[in-house]
Amino acid sequence: MKRTIWIYVAIVGLIICVFLLSLQMGTMTIAPLDVWRTMMGEGTDQHALVLFEFRLPRMVTALLVGAGLAISGAILQSLSRNELADPGILGINAGAGLAVVLFIYFFQGSSTSLGETVFALPIFAFVGALTAAFLIYTLAWKKGVTPIRLVLVGIGLNAGFTAILIVFQLRMNPDDFMQATVWLNGDIWGTSWTSTLAVLPWMLLLIPLVMAQARNLNVMRLGDPSAVSLGIKVERTRRRLLVWAVMLAGASVSVGGAISFLGLVAPHIARRLVGPRHQVMIPTAAMMGALILLFADMVGRNLLSPSEIPVGIVVAVIGAPYFLYLLMKTP
């Protein structure tokens, strides 16, 4: 227990360090003393605008989205007993992204800003993610769901959703096309406090619900017969947790775009640090997901400044090699 506490302290410390660095770095560099003065209400109007209206909203959003995707990945890996499960790889993020793009295409004209409809996006993303999850499990089911079959079906559906996305993108005007392309690569650029408030209630609602089921997740990893013998209603619990995982992924995608591999890497790192017990693994995965996405956002903002690299691309560079390693290790 003492070791777990020290790990929590270390991860929180890293998050704080990256957060403070990210506040200072960008197209306009702000000195640490100026950041402090601005936070205390004594800075210049220009510094206040940059920090409070541009950097802080996207950083807080990155923390929320990272935690949401990491917890979603942890749930999917536990339910499927599949180390390769991840909402991005399985196509759940692509389904959510397709629903959001369809919403923008059919119901939002070019004259309407994304911020005006941002609170509706998580609902549409959830519908798309739930549809994708249903199709994946239906097509992967063959006297049960094997880990490799689940991944292969997910990759196939991911490709199919991406193809449909391209069709609708080609019918958009150039401005909407570019916005959709960057967003689908995983992007939290341009987020505002409105975007943060759109995703925050979902996280505050769903994360405690998931934590309350941590013991059931521990038992279900032992297999359905063991879970039934210990009094758990397996199918009902599995459906409930799957819906919560899909909702977390959908809410995250609606704000941060289709960010892959984060839900794969963060739970694996958490298990290596604190073990498989979900009471401690899920909070660790959430903090690791938040840390990775915040760091990726900082790198994407500054590596080619003043141009920005979509955060999803940075995460993919980090996560893709780890995915290939797990794929080769899986029998």
Side-chain angles (χ1 to χ4, degrees):
M1 185 64 183
K2 187 179 292 186
R3 180 176 180 272
T4 300
I5 293 173
W6 279 112
I7 289 172
Y8 284 178
V9 171
I11 297 174
V12 171
L14 286 173
I15 290 174
I16 293 172
C17 289
V18 175
F19 196 92
L20 294 175
L21 279 174
S22 191
L23 282 176
Q24 301 169 39
M25 299 171 66
T27 305
M28 174 191 289
T29 303
I30 303 176
L33 186 58
D34 290 331
V35 171
W36 173 258
R37 287 173 178 167
T38 305
M39 290 296 182
M40 296 296 103
E42 300 174 358
T44 65
D45 291 341
Q46 186 181 36
H47 287 167
L49 178 66
V50 171
L51 290 178
F52 292 117
E53 299 300 325
F54 294 104
R55 292 186 187 171
L56 274 174
R58 69 183 290 168
M59 290 162 61
V60 174
T61 302
L63 293 174
L64 293 172
V65 170
L69 289 174
I71 294 175
S72 177
I75 295 171
L76 292 174
Q77 289 172 18
S78 297
L79 291 181
S80 63
R81 298 192 294 279
N82 181 359
E83 291 186 345
L84 302 176
D86 163 71
I89 296 169
L90 295 182
I92 293 174
N93 286 359
L98 175 59
V100 172
V101 168
L102 289 176
F103 171 73
I104 295 172
Y105 181 80
F106 286 111
F107 301 108
Q108 179 176 301
S110 299
S111 60
T112 307
S113 68
L114 191 61
E116 296 176 19
T117 54
V118 70
F119 288 99
L121 293 183
I123 299 173
F124 280 83
F126 165 64
V127 173
L130 189 62
T131 302
F134 174 77
L135 290 173
I136 291 164
Y137 270 85
T138 301
L139 296 175
W141 181 269
K142 189 177 181 180
K143 297 180 180 179
V145 178
T146 62
I148 294 298
R149 186 177 177 85
L150 185 70
V151 172
L152 291 176
V153 170
I155 291 173
L157 281 176
N158 200 347
F161 288 139
T162 302
I164 298 172
L165 276 168
I166 292 173
V167 171
F168 281 96
Q169 282 182 272
L170 292 175
R171 295 177 62 86
M172 292 178 173
N173 63 54
D175 291 338
D176 288 344
F177 175 84
M178 288 303 299
Q179 180 186 20
T181 300
V182 174
W183 179 79
L184 287 169
N185 281 319
D187 181 55
I188 52 177
W189 179 85
T191 52
S192 62
W193 288 116
T194 304
S195 302
T196 306
L197 291 175
V199 73
L200 180 62
W202 296 85
M203 300 303 164
L204 293 178
L205 171 66
L206 294 169
I207 292 176
L209 290 175
V210 172
M211 287 303 302
Q213 295 293 321
R215 176 186 170 278
N216 290 343
L217 279 169
N218 291 336
V219 176
M220 290 177 69
R221 281 186 65 87
L222 301 175
D224 291 357
S226 298
V228 171
S229 67
L230 292 172
I232 294 177
K233 298 178 179 178
V234 174
E235 288 304 321
R236 180 186 299 179
T237 303
R238 181 180 288 121
R239 286 194 298 268
R240 183 187 302 137
L241 285 166
L242 179 61
V243 169
W244 291 345
V246 168
M247 290 176 73
L248 283 166
S252 300
V253 169
S254 70
V255 173
I259 300 171
S260 297
F261 298 111
L262 185 60
L264 171 75
V265 174
H268 275 275
I269 296 175
R271 286 191 197 95
R272 288 181 178 272
L273 291 174
V274 298
R277 288 183 62 248
H278 288 81
Q279 288 91 335
V280 292
M281 190 273 285
I282 288 177
T284 307
M287 290 188 289
M288 284 304 308
L291 174 62
I292 292 171
L293 194 59
L294 185 63
F295 177 76
D297 177 56
M298 184 179 70
V299 172
R301 268 195 299 129
N302 294 281
L303 191 62
L304 298 178
S305 181
S307 300
E308 292 195 15
I309 305 173
V311 68
I313 294 177
V314 180
V315 174
V317 170
I318 298 171
Y322 194 74
F323 171 71
L324 294 175
Y325 162 73
L326 289 174
L327 196 60
M328 289 186 293
K329 197 180 76 168
T330 302

